[in-house]
Amino acid sequence: MYGRAGENGKRAQCQGGAKNHVIVFTRRRHEDDTQIIGDSAFGCAGQRCLAVSVAVTIGEAQKTFRDAIAEAAASLRVGNGLDEGVQMAR
């Protein structure tokens, strides 16, 4: 794929082995994007073959989405899956 893109004068970023990409475009607000992508990436991790595993950001979305998804990840309650209130088991 990378070779074919290059032959046609196109830039390409190819990631072998990565799956379930989601593309995040530049928008004024990323709250919905962060919620949906976070639920898929963190809430379904290891449980579904279609859980998001790679977020590709376009333009200015890189910084705004990166910061928002990092904040969402930091707010998760991680611990023993049998304990009340735990959102993600260790």
Side-chain angles (χ1 to χ4, degrees):
M1 187 183 315
Y2 187 80
R4 190 166 185 184
E7 290 169 4
N8 291 295
K10 305 290 183 184
R11 295 185 315 178
Q13 181 176 352
C14 302
Q15 299 179 354
K19 61 180 184 73
N20 303 332
H21 290 68
V22 63
I23 308 297
V24 182
F25 293 96
T26 301
R27 300 203 299 179
R28 284 187 295 169
R29 297 177 36 199
H30 285 287
E31 290 86 0
D32 291 340
D33 300 339
T34 304
Q35 179 70 45
I36 293 165
I37 294 168
D39 286 350
S40 178
F42 306 130
C44 301
Q47 303 300 315
R48 293 189 188 164
C49 62
L50 293 178
V52 169
S53 58
V54 178
V56 178
T57 56
I58 306 298
E60 294 297 316
Q62 191 273 334
K63 183 180 183 327
T64 56
F65 178 74
R66 179 200 63 208
D67 294 347
I69 201 72
E71 186 177 320
S75 72
L76 290 172
R77 291 181 303 273
V78 179
N80 183 328
L82 299 176
D83 290 347
E84 191 173 329
V86 169
Q87 295 172 300
M88 182 179 253
R90 287 184 221 189

